[in-house]
């Protein structure tokens, strides 16, 4: 995000070549999830038995295998997204192939295709999360124990990147607040900070001499933002397990903020009294703010923020649409910023 001007972006990055090459295959695949699970011959019995009711399923041929057996049970019962905002949008879903091949995950490299191409060695089981700071129940938790009492649900959200592209993604997961409450944040917990896994063995971007990030990738939210019902932890998408490139095994999704707030592959949660330092603010504070609320009225030096390119796109058809304040979620979140000058607290 930091170092590329729009003019520098190669067309292969705008729509990776293999997305073009696979488009014919995709057309076949997409008819699968339109027709529903029955037509796909989903032998994957372990995956959502209620799959027909989900808004969308990954094409059977592309579904991930479970990271560990206990995941299968978890995914067997997913509450489908409702038919109305804010947990659903009537907009066309971004195809699975684009959601999983056009990614920002600098731990695997800086090209949009790097995360899917270079994450083959990455492992998500076993996975634990360290909970520290202003919490009644700090400790190191195995992911299975964190997920056990939480019911999975599907939510279809818009994702708007500060680079002015956007997607519509059917996530699987649970509300962030429901997870955080279990760690019993104290009254001093005004902010929550998150950190991403750093594994030089399996994340080639971490050791790259072109790396610009001071690892680990860090992000944070004000505690009321974290507890807003819209804030979500995704453990899957398109009815299937989260691919490495999208932040497996669990990542944040904050649909009213620019995508860089939605930190991937979380290994640490820290409750704190003061606003945390975050990766992009540290890198370039005049371009990236702590709040990072989607806002068409706040200028960015390199990307227009009043319009966005909705993926997928081809060289011949670029879908430009108007960007909405808080990415269209103002009704649910605007009250949290009453009295704040959003051009100062960008
Ligand atoms: N999290 C980590 N750890 N590393 C990253 O490079 N990129 C962010 C965010 N989370 C990033 C990250 C950015 S800039 C965006 S736009 C979203 O992830 C992209 O999510 P997606 O690849 O699933 O679309």
């Amino acid at each position: 995000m930091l170092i590329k001007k729009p003019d520098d972006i190669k067309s292969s990055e705008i729509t990776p070549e293999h997305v073009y090459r696979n488009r014919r295959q995709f057309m076949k695949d997409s008819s699968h999830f339109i027709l529903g699970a029955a037509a796909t011959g989903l032998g994957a019995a372990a995956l959502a038995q209620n799959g027909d009711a989900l808004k969308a399923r990954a094409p059977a041929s592309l579904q991930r295998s479970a990271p560990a057996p206990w995941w299968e049970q978890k995914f067997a019962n997913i509450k489908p997204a409702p038919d109305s905002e804010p947990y659903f949008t009537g907009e066309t879903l971004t195809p699975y192939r684009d959601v999983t091949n056009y990614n920002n995950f600098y731990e695997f490299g800086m090209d949009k295709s790097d995360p899917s191409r270079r994450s083959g060695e990455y492992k998500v089981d076993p996975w634990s999360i360290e909970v520290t700071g202003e919490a009644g129940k700090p400790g190191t938790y195995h992911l299975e124990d964190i997920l056990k009492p939480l019911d999975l649900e599907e939510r279809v959200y818009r994702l708007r990147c500060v680079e002015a592209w956007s997607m519509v993604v059917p996530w699987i997961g649970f509300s962030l607040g429901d997870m955080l409450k279990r760690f019993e944040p104290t009254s001093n917990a005004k902010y929550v900070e998150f950190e991403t896994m750093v594994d030089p063995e399996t994340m080639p971007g971490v050791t790259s001499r072109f790396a610009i990030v001071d690892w680990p990738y860090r992000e944070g939210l004000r505690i009321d933002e974290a507890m807003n019902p819209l804030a979500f932890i995704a453990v899957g998408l398109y009815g299937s397990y989260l691919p490495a490139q999208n932040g497996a095994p669990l990542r944040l999704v904050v649909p009213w903020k620019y995508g860089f707030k939605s930190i991937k592959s979380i290994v640490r949660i820290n409750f704190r009294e003061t606003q945390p330092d975050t990766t992009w603010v540290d890198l370039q504070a005049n371009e990236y703010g702590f709040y990072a609320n989607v806002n068409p009225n706040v200028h960015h030096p390199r990307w227009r923020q009043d319009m966005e390119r909705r993926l997928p796109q081809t060289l011949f058809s670029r879908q430009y649409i108007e960007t909405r304040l808080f990415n269209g979620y103002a009704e649910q979140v605007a009250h949290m910023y009453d009295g704040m000058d959003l051009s100062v607290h960008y």
Side-chain angles (χ1 to χ4, degrees), residues 107 194-196 213-219 260 263 279-280:
E107 286 82 342
F194 304 90
E195 273 178 27
T196 293
V213 173
D214 182 15
W215 315 107
Y217 191 103
R218 280 161 294 121
E219 259 310 333
F260 66 86
I263 184 171
T279 292
W280 289 102

Side-chain angles (χ1 to χ4, degrees), residues 24-84:
R24 183 178 285 268
Q25 177 63 31
F26 165 69
M27 293 307 285
K28 262 163 63 191
D29 288 333
S30 62
S31 66
H32 288 175
F33 44 79
I34 291 165
L35 292 174
T40 64
L42 287 177
L47 280 179
Q49 286 152 6
N50 57 352
D52 285 347
L54 293 179
K55 290 289 182 286
R57 301 292 310 268
S61 58
L62 298 179
Q63 277 172 18
R64 313 276 146 174
S65 51
W70 63 268
W71 281 88
E72 296 175 5
Q73 210 183 344
K74 207 70 224 166
F75 270 67
N77 193 12
I78 301 168
K79 185 174 149 213
D83 288 329
S84 55

Side-chain angles (χ1 to χ4, degrees), residues 187-220:
S187 56
N188 290 333
K190 305 280 190 291
Y191 294 86
V192 56
E193 178 181 28
F194 304 90
E195 273 178 27
T196 293
M197 159 72 97
V198 183
D199 181 9
E201 300 286 315
T202 61
M203 295 173 138
V206 166
T207 48
S208 162
R209 64 194 169 92
F210 300 111
I212 53 168
V213 173
D214 182 15
W215 315 107
Y217 191 103
R218 280 161 294 121
E219 259 310 333

Side-chain angles (χ1 to χ4, degrees), residues 306-324:
D306 58 338
M307 299 290 285
E308 65 200 57
R309 286 185 288 122
R310 176 60 56 83
L311 299 179
Q313 60 171 22
T314 67
L315 281 179
F316 311 105
S317 136
R318 294 191 150 209
Q319 308 185 66
Y320 284 103
I321 57 174
E322 282 181 14
T323 292
R324 294 155 69 191

Side-chain angles (χ1 to χ4, degrees), residues 1 103-107 159 196 217 246 251 259 262 264:
M1 290 200 317
N103 299 103
N104 278 335
F105 199 169
Y106 281 14
E107 286 82 342
L159 172 76
T196 293
Y217 191 103
N246 295 92
R251 57 90 58 84
S262 291
K264 298 179 172 181

